[in-house]
Amino acid sequence: EIVLTQSPTTISASPGEKVTITCRATSSVTYMYWYQQQSGASPKLWIYDTSKLASGVPNRFSGSGSGTSYSLTIDTMETEDAATYYCHQWHTPPTFGGGTKLELK
Amino acid sequence: QVKLLQSGAALVKPGDSVKMSCKASGYPFTDFIIHWVKQSHGKSLEWIGYVNPHRGDTDYNEKFKGKATLSVDRSSSTAYMEFNRLTSEDSAIYYCTRGGFGTPFGFWGQGVMVTVSS
């Protein structure tokens, strides 16, 4: 099983600030996926195939990486971006990272 | 549009079983595999397994073999998950998902909160 480790586990950012969340895998994966989960809601696919934005995702978000190291970046933090973000890989069995809680400072 | 409508919250006693449903709409039900995911309170996400509505075959995360049973009813476009011998560790939110955009978890249901308590 591929274990995904996200860092940081919690981060506070002010509006306009740049935010980067990283996800490291214990083995190389082909693609990384990211989900956004707002409090009390289901996770939503946010970034797929490492760097493609899901429908409706603002272009201040971006994804990058390869092999065992991936990241999600927000160029300029907005209030609506406060949420928990999970990375995910689907080499069997599919696994998720532990989550990064992004708070508004 | 794709919708996955899950059944309501459940309060069950330790040792009991619970069966939850996931009704799909907005696409041909047999064209996409349905996956199930567990989210314990305040924690991350775990893949439970999947059921293929077209063939009926299933696969499970080793951790949930013997615990979860997945099935479908093609006539109503509904997938089911039954969890047995419930303990407090099974208290969680359970999501059904459908593939899309290269991942098994492209679309999510609203989740079912299961509480195991005497």
Side-chain angles (χ1 to χ4, degrees):
Chain A
E1 174 177 310
I2 296 176
V3 176
L4 302 179
T5 302
Q6 288 183 233
S7 60
T9 53
T10 307
I11 184 170
S12 294
S14 301
E17 219 176 307
K18 184 173 184 175
V19 175
T20 298
I21 299 169
T22 64
C23 179
R24 288 195 163 76
T26 52
S27 298
S28 182
V29 300
T30 309
Y31 292 112
M32 192 61 72
Y33 300 80
W34 294 89
Y35 297 82
Q36 182 198 67
Q37 186 174 34
Q38 300 279 0
S39 180
S42 305
K44 287 183 185 176
L45 180 63
W46 212 242
I47 294 174
Y48 65 100
D49 291 354
T50 300
S51 60
K52 298 175 183 174
L53 302 185
S55 176
V57 175
N59 60 13
R60 61 181 177 273
F61 284 86
S62 64
S64 64
S66 65
T68 60
S69 184
Y70 293 82
S71 62
L72 176 156
T73 299
I74 308 172
D75 278 340
T76 51
M77 172 77 177
E78 303 261 346
T79 54
E80 68 203 49
D81 301 336
T84 300
Y85 294 85
Y86 296 95
C87 58
H88 150 67
Q89 66 79 32
W90 64 273
H91 291 254
T92 301
T95 54
F96 294 86
T100 295
K101 186 173 184 179
L102 174 56
E103 299 173 331
L104 195 62
K105 193 185 290 183
Chain B
Q1 72 276 33
V2 175
K3 284 189 179 178
L4 299 171
L5 184 62
Q6 297 187 242
S7 46
L11 173 61
V12 293
K13 291 183 168 45
D16 282 356
S17 299
V18 66
K19 190 171 186 177
M20 61 195 79
S21 64
C22 170
K23 183 171 175 58
S25 61
Y27 71 95
F29 181 59
T30 54
D31 281 6
F32 291 88
I33 290 172
I34 296 287
H35 294 256
W36 292 82
V37 175
K38 176 183 180 183
Q39 185 170 36
S40 301
H41 180 67
K43 294 189 179 177
S44 187
L45 304 153
E46 291 181 280
W47 175 71
I48 296 170
Y50 73 71
V51 58
N52 183 332
H54 177 63
R55 297 192 305 243
D57 57 299
T58 56
D59 190 23
Y60 297 90
N61 185 330
E62 283 293 327
K63 179 179 177 181
F64 294 100
K65 284 183 179 176
K67 167 68 79 172
T69 302
L70 305 181
S71 60
V72 295
D73 176 0
R74 292 182 197 85
S75 68
S76 63
S77 298
T78 302
Y80 296 93
M81 179 171 73
E82 184 167 16
F83 244 56
N84 58 46
R85 299 188 305 275
L86 291 165
T87 71
S88 59
E89 293 295 306
D90 300 318
S91 293
I93 297 175
Y94 294 89
Y95 296 99
C96 62
T97 76
R98 197 213 83 173
F101 306 98
T103 167
F105 314 115
F107 299 90
W108 295 65
Q110 85 275 20
V112 174
M113 180 175 288
V114 173
T115 304
V116 183
S117 174
S118 54

